[in-house]
Amino acid sequence: MNTAMTTAIQVTGLEKSYKDLKVLRGVDFDVARGSIFALLGSNGAGKTTAVRILSTLLTADAGSARVNGYDITTQADDVRQSISLTGQFAAVDEVLTGRENLVLVAKLRHLKNPQKIADDLLERFSLTEAGGRKAATYSGGMRRRLDIAMSLIGDPPVIFLDEPTTGLDPQARIEVWDAVEELAASGTTVLLTTQYLDEAEQLADRIGILHEGRIIVNGTLAELKRLLPPAQVEYVEKQPTLEEIFFAVVGGNDNTGAVGDRSDR
């Protein structure tokens, strides 16, 4: 089968430096169509830089990548037509209602029936009852769900979610997880960056661990678990957690559930 038909994102040898700071040192990974790929790493590992390059907001110093079959350098306009990017903070207009936010984006994209598009997305993300309220009254999880709904207007085949649950409480995070799983179930390809181990473990079909500018591990959760031998506890086999795998491959230890404490690049 044609690789372009089965692979939504292909990344080969991406490099990026900011003056003397090498952020990406040759990053390689592929993302299958309709799957969720989690790029997991500490703050400062280069996750956001990788996403900005793939979404054509930054230019790589070296390497190549294709998104939805298009080269990010020579076919940047086609890439931008194929993707949606949701950053770390919800980009909703708090003065407008949830429905008005969606209608506005649909009109800006010159789509037909913006009201119907808005109503369909409100229903899809369980926001119908809140659709007439100003977004300023929404909880963190509701704002993020609205943000993701806005990013889906126009049906982009690939969506980048850059640390979508940063700053959210546990209930709001679960709401966003449900929304992300719904995206993949509908056939959308999702590249998710996160520093939360449980988030990658919960959502991802494949996980790439980005450390010191390189992907040092890439595989399914089952494949990553095989990197560490199971512990024997009272004659019951205990499978390693993703947290144990992460710190085994990158070194160090952290009990917070998130990794790192420096600002990501």
Side-chain angles (χ1 to χ4, degrees), residues 103-123:
V103 168
L104 175 62
V105 174
K107 288 182 176 179
L108 290 173
R109 290 181 177 255
H110 306 290
L111 299 177
K112 295 180 180 179
N113 302 319
Q115 295 288 346
K116 185 179 186 306
I117 290 171
D119 288 340
D120 288 347
L121 284 168
L122 288 171
E123 181 178 0

Side-chain angles (χ1 to χ4, degrees), residues 24-36:
L24 302 180
R25 301 168 179 260
V27 170
D28 304 273
F29 62 87
D30 293 343
V31 181
R33 290 189 182 277
S35 70
I36 301 175

Side-chain angles (χ1 to χ4, degrees), residues 37-43 45-47 163 191-201 204 206-212 214-217 221 224 242-243 245-247 249-250 257-259:
F37 181 87
L39 195 57
L40 175 65
S42 306
N43 281 336
K47 304 185 300 295
E163 303 206 25
L191 191 156
L192 167 78
T193 74
T194 184
Q195 59 175 312
Y196 297 115
L197 300 160
D198 59 341
E199 188 157 271
E201 192 164 9
R206 294 186 68 86
I207 300 165
I209 296 180
L210 184 62
H211 183 62
E212 295 183 349
R214 293 186 176 89
I215 299 286
I216 58 173
V217 174
L221 182 59
L224 298 190
L242 181 57
E243 181 174 7
I245 295 164
F246 181 89
F247 289 113
V249 298
V250 305
V259 286

Side-chain angles (χ1 to χ4, degrees), residues 56-78:
T56 75
L57 296 176
L58 276 179
T59 301
D61 298 334
S64 63
R66 301 183 74 85
V67 177
N68 198 37
Y70 300 113
D71 185 277
I72 61 170
T73 301
T74 62
Q75 299 171 294
D77 286 342
D78 293 312

Side-chain angles (χ1 to χ4, degrees), residues 153-166:
I153 293 176
D155 296 319
V158 178
I159 183 169
F160 298 110
L161 299 177
D162 189 16
E163 303 206 25
T165 62
T166 295

Side-chain angles (χ1 to χ4, degrees), residues 56-262:
T56 75
L57 296 176
L58 276 179
T59 301
D61 298 334
S64 63
R66 301 183 74 85
V67 177
N68 198 37
Y70 300 113
D71 185 277
I72 61 170
T73 301
T74 62
Q75 299 171 294
D77 286 342
D78 293 312
V79 171
R80 286 191 284 269
Q81 291 294 320
S82 301
I83 68 169
S84 186
L85 170 62
T86 299
Q88 296 181 20
F89 304 99
V92 303
D93 189 326
E94 296 186 349
V95 175
L96 301 179
T97 67
R99 180 176 287 103
E100 287 170 342
N101 269 282
L102 293 165
V103 168
L104 175 62
V105 174
K107 288 182 176 179
L108 290 173
R109 290 181 177 255
H110 306 290
L111 299 177
K112 295 180 180 179
N113 302 319
Q115 295 288 346
K116 185 179 186 306
I117 290 171
D119 288 340
D120 288 347
L121 284 168
L122 288 171
E123 181 178 0
R124 179 175 173 181
F125 287 92
S126 302
L127 291 169
T128 298
E129 292 185 4
R133 287 167 36 201
K134 288 187 177 182
T137 68
Y138 285 15
S139 67
M142 292 169 68
R143 290 189 198 189
R144 179 54 81 183
R145 276 159 39 214
L146 177 61
D147 193 27
I148 294 173
M150 290 165 62
S151 72
L152 290 181
I153 293 176
D155 296 319
V158 178
I159 183 169
F160 298 110
L161 299 177
D162 189 16
E163 303 206 25
T165 62
T166 295
L168 297 184
D169 61 45
Q171 179 59 41
R173 290 180 70 207
I174 292 173
E175 292 176 9
V176 174
W177 288 0
D178 289 343
V180 174
E181 289 175 330
E182 167 67 20
L183 294 182
S186 66
T188 304
T189 302
V190 179
L191 191 156
L192 167 78
T193 74
T194 184
Q195 59 175 312
Y196 297 115
L197 300 160
D198 59 341
E199 188 157 271
E201 192 164 9
Q202 172 73 24
L203 295 176
D205 297 300
R206 294 186 68 86
I207 300 165
I209 296 180
L210 184 62
H211 183 62
E212 295 183 349
R214 293 186 176 89
I215 299 286
I216 58 173
V217 174
N218 182 350
T220 65
L221 182 59
E223 289 169 344
L224 298 190
K225 284 184 175 182
R226 288 198 290 269
L227 295 175
L228 296 181
Q232 296 293 330
V233 180
E234 296 182 354
Y235 304 104
V236 176
E237 184 178 273
K238 175 180 177 294
Q239 292 292 327
T241 66
L242 181 57
E243 181 174 7
E244 290 169 334
I245 295 164
F246 181 89
F247 289 113
V249 298
V250 305
N253 193 10
D254 191 316
N255 295 319
T256 64
V259 286
D261 58 4
R262 289 174 296 148

